[in-house]
Amino acid sequence: MKKGEKRKQVLIEGMSAYILSNGIQSASLRNLAKATETSDRMLLHYFKDKEELLTVVLSFISKELMLMLDNAKMEKRSFSSIVRYLYQMMKEPEISPYMKLWLELIAIASKKENPFYPIAKEICDSFYTFYKEVIQVEEGMTREQMAAIALIVVEGIALLESLGCDDLILEAIEGIKKLDQ
């Protein structure tokens, strides 16, 4: 890796850490430059504009989260087992910032503006693919149906968890367990 490429990677990692800690809304060029101990002009030396910078950084963050999910080495699991497992995973300190950022990204992406909408869609597609790989298919269902249901339920859990509605989540998880019986 060339010196310029190494420097760009260091900047991406530093900006990723900043966005995970502070969110997208506070990700001005000035704040990102300060977080990486450089200038906003230097950031624009490595990236065409703020849109490209955010696209690269948010894609990097997305890949980090997907790597964490892949490293969980989940074997084929039932729907309720996946839901319970991912709910517990969301609460882990190293995953929690990603989930908060994901919810913020979804809210911003709902306006269908670049670069947020395509990045959020890409992440959503990655989650769906992940579920298709790890979910056990119930009788009378397709892998695609089960993965879509898991995606919707886990996203709902993420939303409710961000609001502190753990009692509702646990009640739902108990109900989901009964579906396996």
Side-chain angles (χ1 to χ4, degrees), residues 4-157:
E5 291 171 356
K6 286 181 183 178
R7 178 66 178 142
K8 185 174 182 178
Q9 188 60 37
V10 167
L11 292 172
I12 291 168
E13 291 170 9
M15 290 184 288
S16 295
Y18 177 84
I19 289 174
L20 280 169
S21 295
N22 300 287
I24 298 168
Q25 297 293 341
S26 68
S28 67
L29 282 177
R30 182 171 289 149
N31 288 343
L32 292 170
K34 185 176 179 183
T36 56
E37 299 178 349
T38 193
S39 69
D40 50 345
R41 291 180 68 178
M42 186 54 70
L43 290 179
L44 292 176
H45 169 75
Y46 288 99
F47 302 94
K48 179 176 72 175
D49 54 24
K50 186 177 178 187
E51 184 173 317
E52 179 189 16
L53 180 149
L54 287 173
T55 299
V56 170
V57 172
L58 291 172
S59 293
F60 176 82
I61 292 168
S62 166
K63 287 179 179 102
E64 281 187 320
L65 178 58
M66 292 313 298
L67 185 62
M68 284 185 236
L69 287 173
D70 288 342
N71 287 340
K73 299 204 187 308
M74 290 180 59
E75 296 183 17
K76 296 279 185 199
R77 292 180 179 231
S78 69
F79 173 72
S80 66
S81 175
I82 287 174
V83 170
R84 283 192 311 271
Y85 179 80
L86 291 175
Y87 170 58
Q88 291 305 316
M89 196 174 184
M90 276 180 215
K91 296 181 131 334
E92 292 178 15
E94 66 266 9
I95 300 293
S96 181
Y98 290 88
M99 297 312 297
K100 289 176 184 167
L101 179 61
W102 173 233
L103 291 172
E104 182 183 8
L105 180 59
I106 290 171
I108 296 168
S110 69
K111 298 174 187 168
K112 295 198 173 22
E113 295 175 4
N114 287 335
F116 306 107
Y117 180 78
I119 293 167
K121 181 73 172 95
E122 178 184 323
I123 293 169
C124 184
D125 291 346
S126 296
F127 287 158
Y128 176 68
T129 299
F130 169 78
Y131 291 126
K132 284 195 309 187
E133 292 171 1
V134 300
I135 200 159
Q136 288 177 348
V137 179
E138 304 286 329
E139 189 176 322
M141 300 286 280
T142 67
R143 181 164 309 287
E144 291 75 16
Q145 289 169 332
M146 293 296 299
I149 292 168
L151 177 64
I152 289 168
V153 169
V154 172
E155 292 307 311
I157 287 173

